[in-house]
Amino acid sequence: VEFLYCDLASMKSIRQFVQQFRAKNCPLHVLVNNAGVMLVPERKTEDGFEEHFGLNYLGHFLLTNLLLDTLKQSGTHSHNARIITVSSATHYVGKLHLNDLQSRCWYSPHGAYAQSKLALVLFTYRLQHLLTANGSHVTANVVDPGVVNTELYNHVFWVVKVVKWMTAWLFFKTPEEGASTTIYAAVSPEMEGAGGCYLYNEERTKSADVAYDEELQRRLWTESCKMVGISDEASRLP
């Protein structure tokens, strides 16, 4: 096992990481987008993005796009490379504000978090559409890990922390249990060649209706390219 440092809240760090990884000339068969923050107070990344949107979504958007060529070269007809992005059931109540993705007009930790998780689902569906259109041997799926007992809840109200402390053993998944669907998406033979799926408890399920809005997927993709400074070649595809 080898570790390379990558700060998903920094576009510079992401680009440096990709350069270091490419220099190793290694294939890339599985990419898991799993970093995230939840319900943090209003603050910005070093690039000036609202932290939920910048770290949870834009960081993964840039990382995935910069690694796409390597993923395409690594996948084969019988063994597709796989991209797994971790979202949340919170996306069901999320709203994407294309005219205010940075939550500048009105900031809500819950709203910003839910928007970032919805953006990840929209991104995954658009990405799979583009991969299919290009005939790439790469699949993209999105995972809901469930409610997992981790440090992600550091910024919730103290009352919620107390309830979590008292009930986590009964209602929360362990980190190992929370990772099971991600692992399933990454290595299960049943997922070979399957893309554009929303997975929960190792089963394909339906995401929020708005996530299937192809026009919204396209608009978010185009805007995201502008924000992270990459070319939007996908805009020429249907």
Side-chain angles (χ1 to χ4, degrees), residues 54-223:
L55 195 162
N56 293 2
Y57 170 66
L58 285 178
H60 292 122
F61 179 86
L62 178 61
L63 178 67
T64 303
N65 273 280
L66 294 181
L67 290 173
L68 266 183
D69 285 344
T70 306
L71 285 157
K72 291 175 181 178
Q73 294 165 9
S74 304
T76 65
H77 178 72
S78 57
H79 291 90
N80 282 225
R82 303 186 187 189
I83 301 168
I84 299 94
T85 298
V86 179
S87 181
S88 162
T90 312
H91 92 274
Y92 285 105
V93 297
K95 294 183 179 180
L96 195 78
H97 302 285
L98 277 172
N99 59 341
D100 187 27
L101 291 172
Q102 303 303 318
S103 304
R104 293 191 178 101
C105 294
W106 183 74
Y107 181 78
S108 159
H110 294 83
Y113 177 70
Q115 177 180 243
S116 71
K117 291 300 180 178
L118 173 59
L120 289 170
V121 183
L122 289 158
F123 157 66
T124 299
Y125 292 166
R126 180 60 179 168
L127 176 59
Q128 182 58 55
H129 174 82
L130 298 173
L131 291 168
T132 301
N134 285 315
S136 303
H137 298 307
V138 184
T139 58
N141 292 295
V142 61
V143 166
D144 174 2
V147 182
V148 187
N149 188 14
T150 68
E151 299 302 314
L152 194 62
Y153 297 85
N154 281 348
H155 295 281
V156 299
F157 292 119
W158 69 269
V159 174
V160 178
K161 289 184 179 180
V162 172
V163 173
K164 173 180 176 291
W165 178 76
M166 295 175 63
T167 63
W169 64 275
L170 181 62
F171 298 111
F172 284 53
K173 293 182 178 181
T174 65
E176 291 78 11
E177 291 170 338
S180 65
T181 302
T182 299
I183 296 171
Y184 172 81
V187 302
S188 171
E190 296 175 21
M191 293 302 297
E192 178 57 47
C197 303
Y198 185 86
L199 302 170
Y200 176 65
N201 283 345
E202 301 182 15
E203 293 183 358
R204 304 178 198 190
T205 187
K206 189 175 181 293
S207 61
D209 290 340
V210 68
Y212 299 103
D213 185 332
E214 295 183 359
E215 177 61 21
L216 188 61
Q217 295 168 15
R218 282 193 289 266
R219 292 176 65 190
L220 174 63
W221 185 282
T222 297
E223 187 62 28

